[in-house]
Amino acid sequence: MAEPSARPGARTHHGIAVSDGVAHARILRIGQARRQISREPLAADAVEAEVARLNEALLGTRQDIQRVRDQVSAAMGAAEAGLFEAHLLVLEDSTLLNEVLRKIRTGRLGAEAAFHDVFEKYVSVLEAVDDAYLRERAADLRDLSGRVLDHLSGAVQERDLQHLPEPCIVVAHDLAPSITALLDRRNVLGFATEAGGKTSHTAIMARKMGIPAVVGLGPLLESIQDNEYALLDGHGGLLTINPTDQTLFEYGQLKQRRALFEEKLALLREQPAVTLDGYHVTLAANIEGPEDMAAVQASGAHGIGLFRTEFLFLNRATPPGEEEQFKAYRTVASQTRPGQEAILRTLDLGGDKMPGDLNRPGEPNPFLGWRAIRISLDCPDLLRRQFRAMLRAGCHGQVRILLPMVSGLEELRAARAILESCRKELEAEGVPFGASVPVGVMIEIPSAALIAEDLARESDFFSIGTNDLTGYTLAVDRLNERVARLYQPTHPAVVRLIHATVQAGRRHGRPVGVCGEMAGEPALVPLLLGLGVDELSVTPARIPAVKFLLRRLRISEARELADWALGCSLGAEIHRRSREVAVAAAPNLFAER
Ligand code: PEP
Ligand code: MG
């Protein structure tokens, strides 16, 4: 596709393409790049109305914080929700508030300016202190002040995103997965963000929702208006503001060609994922909830390779109990076809997925912090409820349990001990459950890959999470667009860790799958195939394309590629060679990329 042609007012921003498709619609900005705070003096008769506006904003902010506090407390315990109690106290601090009121009443400043100035004064004092803890509190205070200012300016609130009046392209600095999950699916035709990387959960969700998305566009919000139209190219990673008619025409044609090709891909639904020389791969689907099962069935996936169960816990005041979880897992298990399996992963909260709209969990490095199995083992009741529900679902289909973020054998043993006691408990209660539900480990931390041999001895299968494995191996934040060029799943270190994992699995007769985004990247499928993985698990929307490619590859050629890659020291070279093999096998799959 040629670069969109320019016209006065037309501008094109380049980002990272994360979800295919093209959308053309009005822009809806979420959040503000920089706040415009008016310093116009207030008229004498406007003062009391301004005070009332401030009080209303404070009340709204208090309600928001209480809601988040309750969600966090229910999901993680009262101690974790303590931060929000502190926020509430600040909002009631009479010294602070009196100072703001004085600025409005005596200084005749608008509520925004008065509130901003008072808070900034305290923030700058805290920021200057030589104490890391107090400096962090400064960030909390600024966050709190941002919430109040959002209420004062009427900025779009997350809950409004569920009901949008017209089709739009959402443009934001970043979108938390919890917010993305709330988007009005009828009217959000695509989204574009200034920040983010290819494997952020928001990007993963866009692919699942089948809407075009581009991330990592860099500073953008300040230069666009809500009423402007934009064309979003999720194939090429472009966002064009005010596109010309010629550009729209060209993209219209692209859309038609894609639609025809998709129809061709859909014909493969019932065909097996087998290479030209007869090598079978299990091509399974990644899901976030039972509502995704219709898409799974339509895609022709062979079972569920990853159910990210934490999505059942987002955007709600209280976490789902055993019964509710059981129903969700049962639906997935029973709708998985006979002979196929459903891999249910225990909670992977933390990182960029926090319950409610809590984006800052108060940890400086959330991806290295309290996440996934660490939370589950620290909150055994939470884990027990989940294990019991999963075991019970084992009566309704072939279920496997997968443990995320395992870094060492101790975690695997601790989780298995809890699972065993849940089995005994269900047995004693006479509650039916799947007697032999296999337990697998996600290999997504380099330490786990390096001790894969030990983990294989005490588990039943592996699922390689290349999204995190790449991030943790290369010390690259998967969400940060500034280091996105260093995020390289074909880096020799990652390739060798995948190889080591597959070999360890083989030696112990444990199947090995890949459920990270790499598995759904057609250019990288030859490499994974050659490295010997048994299963690829991808978002349902990518199943047809991956199957199309697999059916045109030869395992012999893929193995040759992998052998060569294991001796290669350059990630870009490995990527290039794998892509060449894929393009040679299925050129039309890459025609528009
Ligand atoms: C991964 O890390 O590759 C993975 C599949 O898990 P998630 O993307 O949910 O972290
Ligand atoms: Mg992961």
Side-chain angles (χ1 to χ4, degrees), residues 245-261:
D245 291 343
Q246 175 63 24
T247 301
L248 289 176
F249 172 74
E250 286 172 14
Y251 273 93
Q253 292 199 318
L254 166 68
K255 253 177 135 165
Q256 273 178 16
R257 287 197 300 275
R258 297 292 309 179
L260 283 175
F261 188 56

Side-chain angles (χ1 to χ4, degrees), residues 562-590:
D563 285 347
W564 167 83
L566 286 167
C568 177
S569 322
L570 295 171
E573 274 295 289
I574 299 176
H575 191 292
R576 191 178 58 76
R577 286 279 280 268
S578 181
R579 190 175 198 279
E580 274 171 10
V581 172
V583 173
N588 33 3
L589 200 55
F590 294 85

Side-chain angles (χ1 to χ4, degrees), residues 29 83 95 193 209 217 248-249 267 300 311 333 363 385 422 434 446 462-463 479 484 510 513 517 570 576:
R29 291 184 312 159
L83 171 72
T95 316
T193 59
M209 290 154 83
L217 284 153
L248 289 176
F249 172 74
L267 299 175
F311 280 85
E363 289 188 84
R385 279 197 290 280
C422 289
F462 285 156
S463 184
L479 307 182
R510 313 292 188 234
E517 295 305 290
L570 295 171
R576 191 178 58 76

Side-chain angles (χ1 to χ4, degrees), residues 199-201 204 286 306 308 310-311 345 348 352-353 367 371 404 442-444 463-469 478 487 515-517:
T199 62
S200 69
H201 286 97
I204 292 172
N286 291 351
L306 172 65
R308 290 185 165 97
E310 57 276 9
F311 280 85
R345 181 174 76 179
D348 184 8
D352 59 347
K353 289 172 290 191
F367 273 90
R371 189 186 163 189
M442 276 204 77
I443 305 293
E444 52 184 344
S463 184
I464 306 178
T466 47
N467 303 337
D468 281 314
L469 186 62
R478 62 194 264 197
Y487 186 91
C515 62
E517 295 305 290

Side-chain angles (χ1 to χ4, degrees), residues 201-224:
H201 286 97
T202 298
I204 292 172
M205 288 174 79
R207 286 193 278 278
K208 192 208 72 182
M209 290 154 83
I211 62 171
V214 177
V215 303
L217 284 153
L220 172 71
L221 283 166
E222 266 188 85
S223 64
I224 56 172

Side-chain angles (χ1 to χ4, degrees), residues 304-495:
I304 306 302
L306 172 65
F307 179 176
R308 290 185 165 97
T309 62
E310 57 276 9
F311 280 85
L312 300 176
F313 289 67
L314 297 179
N315 293 316
R316 47 184 298 155
T318 52
E322 177 182 328
E323 208 51 37
E324 189 180 337
Q325 288 188 61
F326 164 61
K327 285 183 185 144
Y329 306 148
R330 183 183 60 189
T331 304
V332 170
S334 59
Q335 290 184 13
T336 299
R337 288 191 190 177
Q340 302 182 359
E341 289 177 319
I343 299 181
L344 314 177
R345 181 174 76 179
T346 60
L347 275 187
D348 184 8
L349 285 175
D352 59 347
K353 289 172 290 191
M354 291 306 285
D357 48 3
L358 171 65
N359 298 324
R360 290 189 60 256
E363 289 188 84
N365 293 302
F367 273 90
L368 298 181
W370 206 48
R371 189 186 163 189
I373 189 107
R374 301 168 184 184
I375 297 182
S376 295
L377 291 175
D378 284 350
C379 306
D381 288 345
L382 195 68
L383 183 59
R384 295 185 78 82
R385 279 197 290 280
Q386 189 157 36
F387 273 156
R388 283 175 58 103
M390 288 176 170
L391 287 169
R392 288 171 59 195
C395 290
H396 300 271
Q398 297 268 68
V399 160
R400 289 174 173 243
I401 293 177
L402 179 61
L403 305 172
M405 284 275 293
V406 169
S407 62
L409 198 57
E410 295 87 345
E411 287 157 331
L412 171 60
R413 286 186 180 164
R416 290 205 80 135
I418 294 176
L419 182 67
E420 205 37 54
S421 82
C422 289
R423 278 201 182 105
K424 291 210 171 88
E425 205 173 68
L426 289 170
E427 203 163 31
E429 290 167 16
V431 177
F433 64 97
S436 52
V437 173
V439 180
V441 174
M442 276 204 77
I443 305 293
E444 52 184 344
I445 300 183
S447 62
L450 292 169
I451 59 158
E453 195 77 35
D454 308 70
L455 294 169
R457 254 181 237 115
E458 301 189 25
S459 62
D460 303 307
F461 67 100
F462 285 156
S463 184
I464 306 178
T466 47
N467 303 337
D468 281 314
L469 186 62
T470 304
Y472 292 140
T473 304
L474 307 178
V476 175
D477 180 348
R478 62 194 264 197
L479 307 182
N480 186 340
E481 72 285 359
R482 285 198 172 171
V483 288
R485 76 203 143 74
L486 295 174
Y487 186 91
Q488 204 179 36
T490 54
H491 188 289
V494 180
V495 172

